[in-house]
């Protein structure tokens, strides 16, 4: 199944289009984001607040992604994506695509990123997780704030340092084969210039 995402910047909003709907477009990097996230969900679609169980399942899935990234597990991260799903790494202030990946290419991109870390560790803190369920196609849209820290190896006394902050825009779908959640698309928009280590 091909999964694409549409991202367009509005005055105080970003809207994302799902691949499983008829609205799918070629993915793009937004140049910036502002506002409180209310416009993240397109008004033209039908949204519902997820049930507590649904929210727990989505948050657990997002946490699983964070742990796999923190532990440099490129294979595990790729398995969280639907076949053909899109991953984009973008930077605030630029609409140029920085990195993108699908299938095996995503795994290669992640391996390069993890190699760049050397023996340093990365730790992610996710907060302000905004989730809505698209009742038209039973998918989820999530907007997540993230801070990524880097730290020396476990034997080092080096304190953690902020590497970058980012907003994550996720299209989350249910796999038709095993009923688990998968990324249909993930866009990581970093809001800091001069990132020294792309810990993702």
């Amino acid at each position: 199944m091909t999964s694409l995402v549409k991202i367009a910047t509005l005055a105080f909003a970003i809207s994302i289009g799902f691949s499983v709907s008829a609205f799918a477009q070629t993915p793009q990097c937004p140049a910036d984001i502002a506002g409180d996230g209310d416009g993240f969900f397109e008004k033209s679609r039908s949204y519902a607040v997820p049930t507590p169980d649904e929210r727990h399942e989505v948050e657990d899935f997002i946490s699983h992604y964070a742990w796999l990234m923190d532990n440099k597990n490129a294979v595990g991260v790729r398995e969280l994506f639907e076949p053909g799903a899109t991953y984009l790494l973008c930077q605030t202030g630029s609409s140029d695509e920085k990195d993108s990946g699908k299938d095996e290419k995503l795994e290669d991109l992640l391996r390069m990123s993890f190699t760049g870390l050397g023996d340093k560790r990365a730790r992610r803190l996710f907060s302000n997780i905004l989730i809505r369920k698209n009742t038209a196609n039973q998918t989820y849209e999530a907007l997540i704030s993230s801070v990524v820290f880097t730290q020396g190896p476990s034997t080092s006394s080096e304190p953690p340092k902020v590497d970058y902050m980012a907003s994550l825009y996720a299209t989350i779908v249910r796999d038709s084969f095993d009923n688990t959640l998968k990324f249909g698309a993930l866009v990581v928009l970093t809001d800091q210039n001069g990132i020294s280590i792309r810990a993702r």
Side-chain angles (χ1 to χ4, degrees):
M1 180 175 81
T2 301
S3 295
L4 297 173
V5 61
K6 170 190 175 185
I7 297 187
T9 50
L10 301 175
F12 288 95
I14 283 185
S15 51
I16 287 185
F18 289 95
S19 61
V20 291
S21 73
F23 312 108
Q25 303 260 334
T26 302
Q28 296 176 342
C29 283
D32 202 352
I33 180 173
D36 58 8
D38 286 345
F40 172 67
F41 308 106
E42 272 189 13
K43 305 300 183 184
S44 60
R45 290 191 226 141
S46 300
Y47 288 100
V49 175
T51 66
D53 285 345
E54 288 173 332
R55 181 173 182 86
H56 175 77
E57 186 180 16
V58 171
E59 289 183 341
D60 190 59
F61 171 75
I62 293 168
S63 297
H64 188 198
Y65 162 77
W67 277 105
L68 289 170
M69 290 289 286
D70 287 351
N71 288 284
K72 305 179 183 179
N73 189 336
V75 174
V77 173
R78 183 172 69 86
E79 289 175 350
L80 294 181
F81 285 74
E82 281 277 279
T86 297
Y87 167 86
L88 289 177
L89 176 65
C90 311
Q91 187 166 311
T92 298
S94 173
S95 59
D96 294 333
E97 178 181 308
K98 300 301 180 184
D99 289 299
S100 64
K102 294 183 180 181
D103 301 328
E104 287 76 14
K105 184 181 177 184
L106 170 59
E107 189 176 327
D108 292 339
L109 287 169
L110 291 171
R111 288 187 192 282
M112 290 172 57
S113 172
F114 298 151
T115 299
L117 275 170
D119 60 358
K120 288 184 176 291
R121 296 171 291 162
R123 293 293 179 264
R124 285 157 182 76
L125 294 181
F126 286 167
S127 65
N128 304 331
I129 302 175
L130 190 60
I131 304 169
R132 291 294 182 271
K133 183 177 182 179
N134 187 334
T135 57
N137 54 26
Q138 304 301 303
T139 60
Y140 301 95
E141 296 185 20
L143 172 59
I144 307 152
S145 294
S146 173
V147 180
V148 180
F149 296 86
T150 55
Q151 190 174 10
S154 56
T155 56
S156 170
S157 59
E158 176 187 337
K161 297 178 181 178
V162 174
D163 186 27
Y164 65 92
M165 295 176 289
S167 296
L168 279 65
Y169 307 92
T171 300
I172 300 172
V173 303
R174 193 168 295 281
D175 188 272
S176 58
F177 179 71
D178 59 9
N179 206 39
T180 60
L181 295 182
K182 301 280 187 179
F183 285 118
L186 180 64
V187 176
V188 180
L189 175 62
T190 62
D191 28 307
Q192 245 182 284
N193 293 321
I195 296 170
S196 57
I197 302 174
R198 291 253 183 213
R200 299 294 193 273

